[in-house]
């Protein structure tokens, strides 16, 4: 489950997120990938994470409308 007010922190490919920020984080997530790519562009990664957060935090009626499409 997602916290009610999530904060998405993304790092760059070379150095990632600082150890201090990682230590303060409640959880860490990764996005599974297929194929030969090593990582997503940070904008693509944020879009994927934000989409999942928005769906998880949406009221039940919004989720029902989404599934009805």
């Amino acid at each position: 489950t997602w916290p009610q007010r999530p904060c998405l922190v993304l790092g760059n490919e070379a150095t990632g997120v600082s150890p201090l920020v990682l230590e303060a984080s409640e959880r860490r997530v990764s996005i599974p990938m297929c194929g030969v790519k090593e990582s997503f562009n940070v904008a693509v990664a944020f879009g994927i994470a934000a989409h999942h957060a928005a769906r998880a935090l949406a009221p039940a009626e919004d989720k029902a409308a989404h599934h009805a499409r």
Side-chain angles (χ1 to χ4, degrees):
T1 62
W2 287 78
Q4 281 303 110
R5 298 182 65 182
C7 175
L8 301 175
V9 177
L10 290 84
N12 67 35
E13 290 183 33
T15 59
V17 177
S18 75
L20 185 62
V21 172
L22 287 174
E23 186 178 313
S25 300
E26 289 182 22
R27 77 180 62 142
R28 301 171 196 174
V29 299
S30 60
I31 301 169
M33 296 182 53
C34 296
V36 296
K37 295 286 184 187
E38 292 183 18
S39 65
F40 287 112
N41 170 291
V42 71
V44 171
F46 177 80
I48 293 168
H51 171 77
H52 283 275
R55 285 191 61 197
L57 296 170
E61 60 271 12
D62 289 352
K63 290 178 184 176
H66 177 77
H67 289 295
R69 292 182 196 163

